[in-house]
Amino acid sequence: MILQKNFNNLFQYFKFILKTWLMQLILIPLSIFAADDKKSPPPSNNTPGGAPQTPVYIPPLPRHLEFPTISYAKEPTVEGESEVNVAKMHFWYVLILATWNPRSAEITDIMNKNFKTFSQRKVGVIGLFSNDSVEAVNIWRKKYNPQFLNEFASRNFLDALKNPKIPSVWVIGNQGEVLQRIEMPTKEMMLESVQKVMILTGY
């Protein structure tokens, strides 16, 4: 019993020594770096020629552009019957589409291919038609089968966007801040945008 007790005490002692050694191994280099920092002279504002150095101008960050309330309806209307609650998702793709524009079909194809992943990562997608008839939109839906919510943008919403080019795409955050705006996007521009959103939501 006495031998076992002595062995335990000896084991605890070596354990203590090992911990102390490891702490010194980690902390001593930090202390040396800190001492070197204290010894190093503060940076001079003067250049070697004696002339004062011009301070670097850092422009202030721009304020976030706030996206207008997204209002839409099943038919063309001024005010819209429904609004999007952007707080429900981390990000949103807001698409202004047109049945007569081939780029709208390209955008729809890219959104459809990524829609399942977007849903898993809480990225909402809404497509809104401008200057289209109900009949034209119904035919377009049957042809391209959009997986995301797609209705008619209200006239008030389009006016708030200052009648954007068609198609136009926005990526907005869940507080309504505009993160990206793409007018008349090419397929390459859309794929690059999707890749960035995937990186942002891939954690």
Side-chain angles (χ1 to χ4, degrees):
M1 289 291 294
I2 295 172
L3 187 62
Q4 185 177 359
K5 186 175 180 182
N6 288 339
F7 178 76
N8 287 338
N9 288 340
L10 190 62
F11 177 75
Q12 293 296 329
Y13 174 74
F14 278 115
K15 192 175 176 183
F16 171 77
I17 293 294
L18 184 62
K19 278 186 179 179
T20 306
W21 180 75
L22 284 172
M23 286 178 68
Q24 287 180 344
L25 190 66
I26 294 168
L27 294 176
I28 285 175
L30 294 176
S31 302
I32 292 171
F33 292 143
D36 287 344
D37 287 343
K38 286 179 184 177
K39 288 177 185 176
S40 60
S44 173
N45 287 331
N46 294 335
T47 57
Q53 188 175 3
T54 305
V56 177
Y57 172 70
I58 302 175
L61 291 172
R63 293 174 65 98
H64 283 305
L65 295 173
E66 201 168 312
F67 202 67
T69 301
I70 305 166
S71 55
Y72 61 93
K74 294 189 177 297
E75 296 181 351
T77 180
V78 175
E79 295 183 359
E81 300 166 2
S82 305
E83 293 181 358
V84 173
N85 181 2
V86 295
K88 285 186 175 180
M89 296 288 187
H90 294 316
F91 301 98
W92 282 87
Y93 268 104
V94 182
L95 323 169
I96 303 299
L97 305 174
T99 60
W100 42 266
N101 190 297
R103 289 192 182 182
S104 294
E106 284 184 353
I107 293 168
T108 299
D109 183 55
I110 292 169
M111 292 293 110
N112 280 349
K113 287 178 179 176
N114 293 281
F115 186 70
K116 186 176 180 181
T117 306
F118 281 156
S119 299
Q120 293 169 348
R121 299 188 182 194
K122 299 202 77 175
V123 178
V125 182
I126 181 169
L128 300 174
F129 291 96
S130 166
N131 301 324
D132 267 299
S133 67
V134 175
E135 183 182 4
V137 168
N138 286 336
I139 294 171
W140 189 91
R141 283 171 176 155
K142 288 178 183 177
K143 185 175 181 180
Y144 297 106
N145 191 29
Q147 304 297 303
F148 48 88
L149 175 65
N150 58 99
E151 300 289 358
F152 287 87
S154 72
R155 176 48 53 190
N156 286 348
F157 175 59
L158 293 173
D159 288 345
L161 292 177
K162 298 181 180 177
N163 294 310
K165 293 179 180 178
I166 300 173
S168 285
V169 175
W170 285 262
V171 179
I172 63 172
N174 60 5
Q175 294 182 12
E177 69 274 25
V178 178
L179 304 175
Q180 187 181 32
R181 176 184 179 180
I182 317 172
E183 291 184 333
M184 306 289 290
T186 62
K187 185 176 181 179
E188 291 72 25
M189 292 164 76
M190 284 303 303
L191 290 172
E192 184 180 348
S193 174
V194 168
Q195 186 179 26
K196 288 179 180 178
V197 169
M198 290 297 189
I199 292 170
L200 284 172
T201 56
Y203 301 105

